[in-house]
Amino acid sequence: MSADESEFASPTSGQPATAGQRLAAAREAAGLTLAELSARTKISERHLGALETGDFAALPGRTYVFGFTRTFAKSVGLDPAAMVDAMGRDYSRAAPEPEAPASPAFAPGDPARVPSSRFAWMAGFVLLVVAIGGFIWWQNNSSATDSLPSLIPDEVPSQAASAAPSEAPSEEASAAPTGPVVLTAQMDKLWIKVSDAGGKQLVQKVLVMGETYTVPEDAQGPTVWTGRPDKLAITVGGQDVPPISKVPEIVRNVPISAKALLERGKPAPAATPPAEPIPGAANAPVAVPSPVAAPRPLRHFPRPRPAPTADAPAAPATPSTVTP
């Protein structure tokens, strides 16, 4: 008989005490109450008392019994492994039940902290409802999508063929140079100032002979200010473009984007020629309108008088005036 077993042996039978009795004796020897031990081990007093009395029916199960025993033994100064073996023998004699072997790395604590079976059932029910709702939603959307007719009309081959030439880029557009705008000084001490469309200054410096400045490609509406545009060479994508001016003068806020410079280099559209005269039109006779005859004046004739009757003497005749 070992020292631990002889110390906690039963005084009546002479047999070693149970594991629960040994735990209780060790707790009392340490001067701990069940409440103090519960606060130290985080195990409820009800479960600690059940371990001491061997009431395995009040405990959650075999795995919890071993976990509680190991924690109890450590707290009262006993060998955890020896007490777990002793408690296992007591548990097998009191309430044998087949259980799946527990993972050795899992040491349960207070069962009150473990989610209950009711919570697990509720969580499973919620997940099932969500899955069914998602399936119904997917079925409705997929069926509605399959049944709807296409709103895009079929392409007409003739229209596609006619649109093809217009979509093709012209040779002139493809031949236009692209790339960064580079300013090169062709004289010493050439002052320039470059700004963007918002007035933000990009650079202001004095260039030496042959020094270059590349306009940032992300600059919006860049412009230049200088006093010697005739000595400022400009290239777009490595291709020379006409200078801003051919004489020394002060130019300010002149656009120097690639598009603006290329537009400056394009020739001006030719003026529309005047209409050519028709041959022989100069010698053709000109029709002269005939004069309109003036209206002739109207003549006033005397109104005829009635002839005199036999009873009344004839009135002397009054001379009438005839309008020539």
Side-chain angles (χ1 to χ4, degrees):
M1 181 182 301
S2 64
D4 292 340
E5 292 177 349
S6 62
E7 182 180 356
F8 301 107
S10 176
T12 57
S13 61
Q15 297 296 328
T18 63
Q21 293 173 352
R22 294 169 60 184
L23 289 174
R27 176 182 59 78
E28 293 174 356
L32 298 174
T33 63
L34 287 178
E36 294 173 347
L37 186 62
S38 175
R40 179 181 297 183
T41 61
K42 307 302 181 182
I43 302 174
S44 64
E45 295 183 35
R46 178 172 57 87
H47 292 153
L48 293 176
L51 280 179
E52 293 182 352
T53 59
D55 186 8
F56 299 111
L59 295 171
R62 183 186 183 91
T63 303
Y64 288 90
V65 170
F66 292 161
F68 293 164
T69 301
R70 183 180 293 105
T71 305
F72 198 134
K74 288 181 180 180
S75 301
V76 297
L78 297 178
D79 184 8
M83 292 307 302
V84 169
D85 293 340
M87 187 64 72
R89 291 191 295 269
D90 294 345
Y91 186 85
S92 299
R93 288 193 300 267
E97 54 177 327
E99 288 189 4
S103 174
F106 177 74
D110 189 358
R113 300 176 182 271
V114 180
S116 62
S117 58
R118 182 179 180 183
F119 177 82
W121 278 104
M122 290 295 295
F125 178 77
V126 171
L127 291 177
L128 180 61
V129 171
V130 172
I132 294 175
F135 179 77
I136 294 175
W137 178 85
W138 177 79
Q139 286 286 348
N140 293 338
N141 287 352
S142 62
S143 60
T145 304
D146 296 339
S147 60
L148 288 175
S150 175
L151 300 178
I152 302 176
D154 296 334
E155 295 183 0
V156 182
S158 60
Q159 295 179 356
S162 61
S166 61
E167 296 177 358
S170 61
E171 295 181 359
E172 181 180 358
S174 61
T178 58
V181 176
V182 180
L183 309 179
T184 305
Q186 294 182 337
M187 64 174 291
D188 198 16
K189 297 181 180 181
L190 175 61
W191 177 86
I192 64 169
K193 178 181 178 181
V194 179
S195 307
D196 60 7
K200 179 182 178 181
Q201 178 177 306
L202 301 179
V203 68
Q204 180 178 190
K205 62 183 303 186
V206 177
L207 303 178
V208 298
M209 180 67 176
E211 185 177 357
T212 62
Y213 170 74
T214 302
V215 180
E217 296 186 8
D218 57 349
Q220 299 295 328
T223 59
V224 67
W225 182 3
T226 183
R228 293 301 302 270
D230 57 321
K231 295 298 182 179
L232 185 64
I234 305 176
T235 60
V236 178
Q239 181 175 341
D240 294 334
V241 295
I244 298 175
S245 177
K246 296 182 179 180
V247 296
E249 60 178 341
I250 298 176
V251 294
R252 184 173 182 178
N253 298 332
V254 178
I256 55 172
S257 63
K259 180 179 179 181
L261 293 173
L262 294 177
E263 290 293 335
R264 291 172 58 89
K266 290 183 179 180
T272 304
E276 297 181 359
I278 301 175
N283 300 327
V286 180
V288 179
S290 59
V292 179
R296 300 178 65 184
L298 298 178
R299 293 184 178 184
H300 298 279
F301 295 94
R303 182 178 300 178
R305 296 178 177 274
T309 58
D311 297 334
T318 303
S320 62
T321 305
V322 179
T323 303

